Amino acid sequence: MSASGGTRAIVAALGANLAIAVSKFVAFAFSGSSSMLAEGVHSLADSGNQALLLIGGKKAQREATPQHPFGYGRERYIYAFLVSIVLFSVGGMFAVYEGYEKIRHPHELEHWYWPVGVLVFAIIAEGFSFRTAIKESNELRGTHSWSQFIRRAKAPELPVVLLEDFGALIGLVLALGGVGMALLTGDGVWDGIGTLCIGILLILIALVLAAETKSLLLGESAGIEDVKKIETAIVDGHTVTGIIHMRTLHLGPEELLVAAKIAVQHDDTATEVATAINAAESRIREAVPIARVIYLEPDIYSESEATKGPDREATPGGPAQHPADH
């Protein structure tokens, strides 16, 4: 993911959410609408989430140290996971609680024009933020569907902003529906129902974010396309005759570790093998520029050992293993 593209989307969302949060709290103060209070907390939580993403991006740029030799790229995953926790607890659970209380103890809305006016303003502002996130994401997702992009993206920022903005727009529609029904029927229970629906929506989005960022934190392999490029780049057909087995791992959104056991000729000299490995590393970095850390171990291919399959404990092991298409 382009760091600048992700930052633009985050800053646009942060500016929109801060302005919206202030307007929602003002509307709540004048109208007493629980939907407005829940939406205000939602926008405030989203603002904090965007601040967390910016902090994570900044911390991830630190240079590697002896204690952390592979750098700090995964800081972005950690802060994205914190976003899902904040969205679940501060946004979703608070809204569910407010909705439940409002359904139990409904009261008539006062100064209805405040919440309606703020909701219209918020929909316009969130629409601008969502449009920015879509524009930045379209440059990266290619032919993938939106669900595939969110599931496969190795950089967490754009999927997080997309889901937050999408949830915010749906939440605003629910809030507008709750306020509208409360005004039409004179029954404040509808305001509580709208608030409850907002809370359930936020919890569902938080769970999706948590699942995706947990996978990134555990360590995901390179995408299928990149794995194929790396395999093609390693084999030269002369000294390096094949790949016995290979593992890839994202150290961060824009940094990939490649470790492979490669087959060489039994009569090659150490100089020839070392030269072939250096050439293979150059080809890998040219084919997949984010492949920053590369370890290639030469070995003599064995037919009997290869029949053991892609067992990482086998020596020399089996064929290269492709990542699952999830």
Side-chain angles (χ1 to χ4, degrees):
M1 185 192 79
S2 167
S4 61
T7 301
R8 280 194 297 270
I10 295 170
V11 171
L14 178 59
N17 280 316
L18 284 174
I20 293 169
V22 172
S23 65
K24 287 175 180 176
F25 283 126
V26 171
F28 164 71
F30 280 95
S31 68
S33 168
S34 67
S35 291
M36 282 294 93
L37 179 59
E39 276 294 312
V41 173
H42 174 195
S43 294
L44 197 61
D46 281 354
S47 300
N49 289 341
Q50 276 108 44
L52 285 173
L53 292 177
L54 291 172
I55 293 171
K58 186 69 175 178
K59 285 183 173 290
Q61 295 173 7
R62 289 179 292 172
E63 296 292 331
T65 64
Q67 187 177 8
H68 299 281
F70 293 113
Y72 293 85
R74 288 196 181 184
E75 289 265 19
R76 289 164 68 178
Y77 300 152
I78 293 171
Y79 279 84
F81 189 73
L82 289 176
V83 164
S84 68
I85 295 173
V86 171
L87 191 63
F88 179 88
S89 58
V90 179
M93 295 304 293
F94 178 82
V96 168
Y97 172 76
E98 278 297 313
Y100 173 73
E101 285 297 314
K102 188 59 182 284
I103 291 173
R104 288 185 60 198
H105 308 290
H107 63 82
E108 188 176 350
L109 293 180
E110 301 173 0
H111 307 291
W112 62 268
Y113 42 84
W114 277 100
V116 171
V118 166
L119 286 171
V120 172
F121 164 74
I123 289 173
I124 295 172
E126 285 289 359
F128 168 77
S129 175
F130 193 42
R131 177 178 175 275
T132 302
I134 289 175
K135 181 180 178 182
E136 300 297 337
S137 300
N138 277 333
E139 297 178 5
L140 299 173
R141 72 183 182 97
T143 58
H144 291 153
S145 67
W146 285 109
S147 62
Q148 289 174 329
F149 172 71
I150 290 170
R151 290 167 59 193
R152 296 179 181 181
K154 306 303 181 183
E157 291 85 355
L158 281 176
V160 168
V161 173
L162 277 169
L163 285 174
E164 278 190 350
D165 286 350
F166 175 75
L169 283 170
I170 299 299
L172 289 167
V173 172
L174 291 172
L176 189 60
V179 170
M181 288 300 295
L183 291 173
L184 289 173
T185 62
D187 189 352
V189 168
W190 286 103
D191 188 31
I193 292 173
T195 307
L196 188 63
C197 291
I198 292 169
I200 294 172
L201 173 69
L202 293 180
I203 289 173
L204 291 176
I205 290 175
L207 292 175
V208 171
L209 284 178
E212 294 304 317
T213 51
K214 174 190 172 185
S215 178
L216 292 169
L217 275 171
L218 290 174
E220 289 190 356
S221 64
I224 294 176
E225 296 84 357
D226 283 343
V227 168
K228 290 180 179 178
K229 289 178 183 178
I230 292 169
E231 289 176 346
T232 302
I234 288 176
V235 179
D236 62 10
H238 302 289
T239 306
V240 182
T241 58
I243 299 171
I244 298 172
H245 61 72
M246 183 176 77
R247 301 290 183 271
T248 62
L249 177 69
H250 269 273
L251 301 173
E254 294 153 1
E255 189 169 11
L256 186 67
L257 180 148
V258 179
K261 186 184 285 287
I262 57 176
V264 297
Q265 303 289 351
H266 71 279
D267 55 352
D268 288 334
T269 66
T271 300
E272 290 172 332
V273 172
T275 300
I277 288 175
N278 290 334
E281 289 180 355
S282 297
R283 293 193 300 271
I284 291 171
R285 291 191 172 97
E286 183 178 353
V288 183
I290 66 171
R292 309 278 178 83
V293 183
I294 303 173
Y295 299 109
L296 300 180
E297 177 188 355
D299 208 330
I300 307 301
Y301 182 75
S302 167
E303 288 285 351
S304 61
E305 292 292 339
T307 59
K308 296 179 180 180
D311 180 7
R312 71 179 69 199
E313 301 300 328
T315 304
Q321 193 174 41
H322 290 271
D325 184 12
H326 71 285

